Every structure is written in C-alpha cells, then in structure tokens.
Amino acid sequence: MITLTPSTCRRLQQLPQPGESIWEADRRIIPISLKEGFQPECILWVDGSEGVVRSMEMVNPQTGPEALVRALLKAMEAPPAPSQPSRPKKIVVCDREIQFYLRGVLQDLDIDIEYRPQLPLIEHLFQQMAEEVIQQTPHVAPKYLTFLSKSAEKIWQVQPWQNLAEHQIISVQLNQWDIEKFYVSILGMLGEEYGILLYRSLDSLKQFRQALLDHTTMEDIESALFHQDCFFLTFELKPDSPLSDLAEEECILELLPWSEIEASFGVIHPLEGLRTTLYDREPVAMMVALEALHRFFKSTRNSLDTESFESLSQRYRISLPKTAEESKSSLLVKVETLPEVSLELDAMMNDLEEDEEEEEDLDGPFLHYDLIPDNALCRLDILSWATWEQIREQVQFYPTAPDHIRGVGAGLPVAIVQTSKRNAKTLIRDLEAFDGLEGIGFHVGEDPYTETTFDLGIIQTGDGDLYLFDEFEVTSTYQKNRQNWDDQCRKTQGYCALLIAMGMRGESRGNPKPKDMLALFEAKFLSIEDLKLGILQKTRFSF
C-alpha cells in the first residue's frame, strides 16, 4: 500500500482539527454517457457537521483508491470558500474496502475512520447531482456533433504538427458568424499537447505568446492562459483506452489510430474563462475552419516546412451542414500562411533565449532540454563486452576509455537513447558538432506540486554544455538498476557510454538489437559536484 510521505504527514498534522468535525466520503458513477458509453465517477468529500462540500473530483471508474486520498488532501488544504483548511476528527464511509484503505493511509493523522451503511447527506447530494446532470445542455448540439467530430478526425489523420511549429501561424478568413478571421497555431511538434488554437484576433495571439515569455510563475501562466480569446481543439488518449495504463514514454499519442483518441472542443475568453460548451453558430464556424485547414494541409503538405515557412494561399468552398439553418449552402474560405507574423513570434523566442544565455554566463551552468528527440526511449543498461566487441566495428564509435578496462566486470555501463533512424542520425551529428560527449551524470530533481523526487539523467557535451536526456521516476526497480549501473561504473574506473539506437516499432522497441545500434560515445561518469547544478524543480504548463 502506498502511504503518505513523512513530510506530507507533518504538513497535514499542522492543520487545525476541530473536535466535532465529521466528514463523509464516497465515490459513485455519474449518470452521464460520454463517448462509447464511458461514464465518469464522482468522488465527494463532505463536512457533515457543517453541511458543506469540501471537494469534488471526476475520475475514470478504473482509477484506484489513491484518487480518494488526492481529493481528501484537496479538501483539507484547499477547500472552496468560505471553508478554511483543516483536518477532520472523524471520517465516515459506507464502503468497507474504502474504510480499511483509509485506515492504512491515514494512520499517522489521528483521524478515526468509521463505517455506516447509509450516509443521508451524501445520498442527497448525489441524487441532486444526478438530476442536474440529466438536465444539462450538451457541450455541442447533437445536430453539429457528428460533423465537428468528423472534421477533428480529418485533422488527426493529416497531423499538421509534423510540418508546423506553434509559432508558424495560418489565417482562415470566414467573414461570417461575427468572425472575420481565425489565426491558427498548431500544437504538437514538441510531442506534449496535440491540437489547434484558433484565435479570434492577431493581438490576442501575440499577447498570449508574450505573456508566456514574460511570466515564470504558474499563477502568471494560468492567468495568461485564461486571458486568451480563441477556440480550441485538443486531442488526448481516451480515458477508457486500454493504453491509458502505459507509461508516457511507452504510449506515443501521435502514432495511435483515431479509435484511441478523444477530441475536445471549447472556447477561451478573458471575461468568460474556459468553457467546453459551444453555443449558437460556434460549432459551425469551428467546423468550417477545420474543414478548410484540412484541405489546406493536404494540398500544401509538400510545401509546408518548419525551416522555410513560405507564403501560401488557397481558397476553398466549404459545404455547410443542412442542420446549420443558414441561408446559403456553402461558404468560400481563404486560408493562407503568415510568414511575417511567424518571424515576429520566432524573434520573440530568440530574444528570450539570448537573455537566458546571458543569465547562464552570470549564474553558472544551464541545463538544456533540446538535444534528445521528443518521444525517444531512454534507459540505463550494461552493454556486455561480447556485444561491445560485436558492434564496435559496425557503429560510429567514439572511444575514450583506456584498453585496460575492457573486459572488467559485466560490461560497459550505458545510457541508451532509442529513437527513429532519422532522429538518431540528427542526434549523432549534433553531438559531433558539440565536440562529442564529455560525460554522463545524474542529479536529483523535485516536483513541488506532488512533493516527489526523480532522477535527472544529464549528459555534458565536449563544449561544456549540459543537456537533459531523461527524467527517471525513482521506483524500486529503477533504484536497483541504477545501483547495478553505478557498481559497474566503479569497476570501469568511471567510464560509461551513450548508446544511440533506432527501432521504435516492432520487437526492437524498448530493447534495441545490435542491428539497431548506430553510435557509441564513451565518456566519464560525472558526479553531482562535477555538474555544479543547484536545486532543480519541475514547472508545469499544460494547455
């Protein structure tokens, strides 16, 4: 059983604990059907003594009991106003399994966990919630949902993020439904979020990009996010997909078929905030824009390129759905690239990078994140001396270790980076341009949001720069592998290597064979003192 960390327990124990405070909790399916019949489950924490809801979370029914604890911590530390942070004296549940689970997890917090077969307050709230859900307006009117979903599927199939970066802007001229033009930014080239942002004004797009560059705290970034003026389409893995249990690096979203993808639509406005319900003619405007973009991407794919974003312009007549109740059956739409705007946005980013380089000179080493290809698979291993002998003649070999360490112990400690053949060759060329590989090391990182730590794998190139090659979750399996790796590294007198391999599909994925190995860069192991990095904390921004 996973338990709370000692630091979390100490933090929670400092919260006030009113003597009469009795909370109730339960989790139940909410009677609202999403795609393919999927129904979310609601976790509810209620202060029975005060009669108020402390927290409410919607989760996948397959989510484990840990979700109950996450919702409880939110109820304790960040309840909605006017409730104040506190911890209960007693918790009452109507499920024996939940009772036993919470007893184990919360044993150090001086909270009694009791079972009662009926919880009238919880029953009333869930019943009330069910009635409200049934009466809710659907996010997209049913008469438009099919058309909009088909348009989203077409965008997914053409995958424009393979050719366009976020700063390469395209305009879609409608002159209809109070929208003159959409200014379109494509998300996905970085391999993190996938989707399309359709800004209603060029000023809003520029202001948001500038705000991201100007602000560094999560509060500032969230404020900038909700001050956008745009429609959005995002793609995520379906919550009920059998692939949802895989680790992020094992499930590359853009390689998945449409059947595993869930599309979400919505609008952001400075005064309305974020809403996922499309009203009036908004679904039609979005559908027309997506249809025009799909045609544009298909007809200009060979001309669209991240290196040379040239001026392109096309016109398309898009049929309107008969359910749109429009006076005309089609709309002429103009789609064109905006190279000058893209150059302006790129210059804004370049200015930021120059400022960061100046800070790096003043403040010491700087950790870069742009060397290892997106979605690459990285792991630690011991390359047996037999395999080393087998591949050293067939791969690009960059030796630095002395001959007398050959054959010592089980093999050569390696950090393996596996990616596509094209990306692997690009990585090899980049390392050559950076004067090869100087060393490989590890540094502790921390996530202040979850109070977890992780191991950062770091490589130093020959010109002295530091690059992140992976972020390792500190599990018992990883700790054992890392210990074996370190032990063998001591036997080889601190020598290790970076092994670059291809083969992202089939049997080779995650376990490259000798035929998949392309380059071996030998280097020295770098200690934390060698890296000279301070405390590294994770920051988050997700659209």
Side-chain angles (χ1 to χ4, degrees), residues 208-382:
F208 176 64
R209 301 287 296 188
Q210 187 63 54
L212 287 183
L213 299 178
D214 290 345
H215 299 133
T216 55
T217 68
M218 287 304 302
E219 290 78 8
D220 289 338
I221 290 175
E222 288 178 3
S223 175
L225 172 66
F226 290 110
H227 276 78
Q228 295 178 96
D229 184 8
C230 67
F231 288 61
F232 65 82
L233 162 64
T234 57
F235 299 103
E236 295 179 315
L237 184 67
K238 286 183 176 178
D240 58 341
S241 169
L243 302 175
S244 59
D245 293 331
L246 295 177
E248 185 177 343
E249 63 271 14
E250 295 177 338
C251 182
I252 303 176
L253 199 68
E254 64 180 303
L255 299 181
L256 300 182
W258 175 248
S259 59
E260 299 292 338
I261 301 301
E262 180 176 72
S264 299
F265 311 94
V267 176
I268 303 177
H269 187 273
L271 298 181
E272 293 185 79
L274 186 151
R275 60 176 166 86
T276 54
T277 301
L278 300 181
Y279 297 106
D280 197 27
R281 295 296 187 267
E282 289 176 343
V284 184
M286 195 168 187
M287 186 213 74
V288 169
L290 294 178
E291 283 289 332
L293 285 169
H294 170 252
R295 295 189 190 182
F296 183 75
F297 295 142
K298 285 193 67 176
S299 63
T300 62
R301 175 177 284 275
N302 294 332
S303 302
L304 290 174
D305 188 271
T306 54
E307 299 299 327
S308 57
F309 189 58
E310 300 176 354
S311 180
L312 300 171
S313 180
Q314 299 282 350
R315 294 178 184 270
Y316 305 100
R317 185 163 290 279
I318 307 298
S319 298
L320 302 179
K322 294 180 181 179
T323 54
E325 302 173 2
E326 297 291 334
S327 58
K328 45 191 174 183
S329 60
S330 63
L331 184 69
L332 187 63
V333 180
K334 181 181 179 181
V335 184
E336 60 182 341
T337 58
L338 302 177
E340 293 183 0
V341 174
S342 302
L343 287 173
E344 181 181 347
L345 297 179
D346 192 38
M348 291 164 57
M349 180 59 70
N350 290 336
D351 289 343
L352 176 65
E353 291 176 353
E354 290 177 5
D355 292 342
E356 288 178 342
E357 289 177 1
E358 291 178 4
E359 292 178 6
E360 175 186 344
D361 294 337
L362 293 173
D363 300 332
F366 181 81
L367 185 60
H368 300 273
Y369 299 83
D370 55 356
L371 180 62
I372 303 302
D374 295 325
N375 297 321
L377 301 179
C378 302
R379 65 184 177 90
L380 303 180
D381 206 344
I382 306 296

Side-chain angles (χ1 to χ4, degrees), residues 95-153:
D95 185 300
R96 288 289 190 187
E97 289 188 12
I98 292 177
Q99 179 194 15
F100 295 142
Y101 178 78
L102 292 178
R103 276 183 178 175
V105 174
L106 306 178
Q107 56 186 318
D108 296 326
L109 295 182
D110 189 27
I111 300 175
D112 296 328
I113 315 295
E114 291 189 2
Y115 166 81
R116 292 179 191 168
Q118 298 294 329
L119 301 176
L121 180 57
I122 286 279
E123 292 286 351
H124 173 72
L125 290 173
F126 273 121
Q127 180 63 34
Q128 194 175 47
M129 192 183 308
E131 293 174 356
E132 291 178 358
V133 165
I134 292 172
Q135 299 173 3
Q136 270 188 348
T137 303
H139 286 189
V140 179
K143 63 181 179 179
Y144 298 133
L145 183 58
T146 300
F147 296 101
L148 200 52
S149 296
K150 286 183 178 179
S151 299
E153 180 180 0

Side-chain angles (χ1 to χ4, degrees), residues 491-519:
K491 293 177 182 178
T492 57
Q493 298 179 10
Y495 284 95
C496 51
L498 179 69
L499 177 60
I500 300 173
M502 63 179 184
M504 293 290 282
R505 297 177 183 272
E507 295 181 357
S508 294
R509 178 176 170 80
N511 186 28
K513 307 297 186 292
K515 64 181 177 61
D516 303 310
M517 299 174 184
L518 301 179

Side-chain angles (χ1 to χ4, degrees), residues 58-95:
M58 294 293 184
V59 299
N60 187 318
Q62 304 302 318
T63 305
E66 297 85 3
L68 269 168
V69 179
R70 288 194 290 269
L72 172 60
L73 297 191
K74 181 177 179 181
M76 289 185 187
E77 298 185 289
S83 299
Q84 297 297 315
S86 66
R87 60 191 168 111
K89 185 65 178 175
K90 181 187 295 184
I91 289 174
V92 183
V93 296
C94 59
D95 185 300

